[in-house]
Amino acid sequence: MANQFQFTDEELMARFQSGDENAYNEIVFRYRDRLMNFIYRFVNDVELAEDVLQDTLVKIFTHRHYYKEIAKVSTWIYTIAGNFSKTELRKRKRRKIIQLSHMGKDDKVYEIPDIEREPDRGLHVQFSEQKIQNALQSLPSHFRSPVILRDIQELSYKDISKILDVPLGTVKSRINRARQQLKSTLKE
Amino acid sequence: MDRYQFEDYLSDYIENNLNPSKRKEFEEYLKANSSGEELVESVRELLDSMKSMSEIKASSGFMGKLHKRIEAEKNRPSIQSPEKRTYLGFAPFHLGMMVVVLIGLVFVGMELLPTDGTKITTVQPNIELSFPPDLSDPFPPDIKKDEMVKLDQDSSGVKDQDTKAPFDLEKRGATFVKDQN
């Protein structure tokens, strides 16, 4: 386990840029689950989240030389994942509009949740989790991503500001407003 | 502190980021407004719930799929780094254009060079203009000015008609017969 943190993310990236593919595997190992969680909370679809995660990790591989050490590796990776997630959501929205325009009046769209659940969790917790997840989807995307990054991923405001490329004050106020909006949605 | 300010400082209060004076002000507002206290508690609860949400993991076959795609990407024409796309600090297109222009300039320069080995000098040579003796007078002696003017007039063709003799049928042997009717 000591070997796991032998190198910082930035050192691993430098090694990967100079051709060490093991460094890439280590980066994937470190970020895979965190990213999957972030993307899923944003797009609310496990399969889509996996596709976006794959696109993100492939882009890290193919565009490794675009990373400059002036930024943290984590912020660079989250920025890529966030951009892919937004693009996929936009595509899905467009597809839904087209589907609805071709749908008959008796047709219905069912979305079956496919979440890997921990067996020891109680029913009540699962229910509120789903409620929170639904409430997150009701937020506009410029509120949703900062609140996920802060309250689920537990990133710092400074990092979130860099990932989203918005001023620190804007990030703070968006998170503050998103929390209050979530709270009132859950109360309904 | 009013309600708007209270809501603005809500997250900072929960995350303990308020300075002591603002914190005191905030807590005074909470004491005076029970709805404020309620809001703080519900947001705290929400944050706790979000932090304890289960982790969603990628499926077991994910890594296999990823490595397959990576292998496919390796066989594609590689995406070069932004630095590698420049040569001598120029983009390939601009460098190509510069080389073409340079070759053009060298070619034109070679064309301008004398091929018989004479030297090119920037010093102006002493050139003396001399005319052959017959060109010293613009009007040759055998042609007078008036004649030249007349020649010009003739060239219009108008004068020709006036100077020509009238057409004489009799001189050309024509005979006229009177009409008997």
Side-chain angles (χ1 to χ4, degrees):
Chain A
M1 280 303 261
N3 196 36
Q4 193 185 336
F5 299 107
Q6 192 180 346
F7 299 109
T8 62
D9 291 350
E10 287 68 33
E11 283 168 344
L12 279 176
M13 199 63 202
R15 289 174 77 93
F16 175 41
Q17 284 177 330
S18 53
D20 180 3
E21 281 191 22
N22 287 329
Y24 170 73
N25 290 333
E26 178 63 30
I27 291 169
V28 170
F29 175 75
R30 285 186 191 181
Y31 282 93
R32 185 189 54 195
D33 293 341
R34 274 194 264 174
L35 287 177
M36 179 66 188
N37 226 20
F38 164 61
I39 298 165
Y40 168 72
R41 295 295 170 204
F42 193 83
V43 300
N44 195 29
D45 182 319
V46 176
E47 257 180 53
L48 183 65
E50 240 184 61
D51 289 346
V52 173
L53 175 64
Q54 201 183 81
D55 289 342
T56 305
L57 296 174
V58 168
K59 190 157 186 178
I60 292 166
F61 186 89
T62 56
H63 288 67
R64 56 187 173 273
H65 294 294
Y66 282 78
Y67 168 74
K68 300 272 175 296
E69 235 203 289
I70 45 166
K72 278 162 84 177
V73 170
S74 59
T75 54
W76 184 63
I77 291 175
Y78 271 107
T79 305
I80 296 172
N83 289 341
F84 270 127
S85 306
K86 274 181 215 157
T87 310
E88 278 306 315
L89 267 193
R90 266 201 298 269
K91 278 188 202 167
R92 199 170 63 168
K93 219 180 232 177
R94 250 199 314 262
R95 248 179 272 142
K96 256 186 185 170
I97 291 166
I98 294 165
Q99 250 178 5
L100 281 171
S101 64
H102 290 288
M103 222 163 67
K105 68 173 183 181
D106 295 327
D107 298 327
K108 279 177 186 172
V109 176
Y110 292 101
E111 221 168 75
I112 302 154
D114 180 22
I115 308 164
E116 245 181 52
R117 285 167 180 166
E118 287 175 22
D120 58 338
R121 280 180 175 268
L123 251 178
H124 175 72
V125 178
Q126 299 241 338
F127 176 71
S128 47
E129 238 189 74
Q130 193 55 49
K131 265 182 97 176
I132 294 169
Q133 178 69 9
N134 291 341
L136 277 171
Q137 303 316 304
S138 71
L139 291 175
S141 65
H142 63 278
F143 278 4
R144 202 187 315 159
S145 35
V147 87
I148 293 171
L149 289 170
R150 177 70 191 159
D151 295 335
I152 299 174
Q153 302 281 299
E154 296 180 31
L155 298 184
S156 71
Y157 283 109
K158 206 175 156 191
D159 283 351
I160 298 168
S161 153
K162 279 180 187 159
I163 291 165
L164 303 176
D165 195 24
V166 286
L168 193 67
T170 311
V171 169
K172 280 187 175 181
S173 78
R174 280 183 188 176
I175 290 170
N176 191 38
R177 286 174 68 188
R179 282 169 180 170
Q180 289 175 48
Q181 212 168 304
L182 274 176
K183 190 236 116 207
S184 45
T185 309
L186 287 166
K187 215 177 171 186
E188 282 165 10
Chain B
M1 183 177 276
D2 59 21
R3 181 76 188 182
Y4 293 112
Q5 284 173 317
F6 164 75
E7 285 181 2
D8 280 348
Y9 291 128
L10 184 61
S11 286
D12 282 334
Y13 175 75
I14 290 168
E15 289 176 310
N16 216 4
N17 288 331
L18 283 182
N19 61 43
S21 65
K22 277 271 179 259
R23 190 170 185 83
K24 201 178 168 192
E25 224 180 298
F26 192 92
E27 282 168 350
E28 273 167 12
Y29 180 88
L30 281 182
K31 270 180 203 166
N33 299 275
S34 57
S35 64
E37 183 73 48
E38 208 178 280
L39 181 63
V40 169
E41 279 315 305
S42 56
V43 171
R44 264 198 187 125
E45 241 174 67
L46 169 71
L47 296 186
D48 288 342
S49 302
M50 284 174 88
K51 275 185 185 118
S52 59
M53 280 168 96
S54 59
E55 257 201 17
I56 310 299
K57 289 185 176 170
S59 64
S60 52
F62 176 78
M63 286 310 285
K65 279 187 220 166
L66 175 70
H67 282 125
K68 249 187 196 172
R69 239 186 103 181
I70 297 269
E71 284 308 312
E73 288 294 329
K74 276 184 197 169
N75 297 328
R76 271 195 195 182
S78 66
I79 297 159
Q80 286 184 329
S81 68
E83 294 89 21
K84 283 182 183 171
R85 283 188 186 176
T86 58
Y87 301 92
L88 302 168
F90 295 101
F93 174 75
H94 294 123
L95 189 70
M97 291 292 287
M98 275 174 62
V99 168
V100 168
V101 169
L102 202 68
I103 290 170
L105 282 173
V106 169
F107 183 75
V108 170
M110 295 284 278
E111 285 294 305
L112 290 173
L113 272 178
T115 48
D116 56 351
T118 50
K119 278 184 183 175
I120 295 173
T121 175
T122 53
V123 179
Q124 288 294 319
N126 250 346
I127 301 166
E128 210 173 277
L129 288 173
S130 62
F131 296 99
D134 55 328
L135 281 179
S136 54
D137 185 4
F139 303 107
D142 51 330
I143 302 171
K144 293 291 164 219
K145 274 184 192 173
D146 296 343
E147 278 180 52
M148 287 183 76
V149 172
K150 197 178 177 186
L151 275 171
D152 280 349
Q153 282 174 341
D154 283 350
S155 67
S156 69
V158 178
K159 285 274 174 189
D160 276 355
Q161 280 181 348
D162 299 338
T163 49
K164 271 180 190 170
F167 190 72
D168 194 349
L169 284 171
E170 280 178 7
K171 273 186 183 172
R172 299 197 174 214
T175 51
F176 292 92
V177 180
K178 217 177 181 178
D179 194 356
Q180 297 298 317
N181 299 323

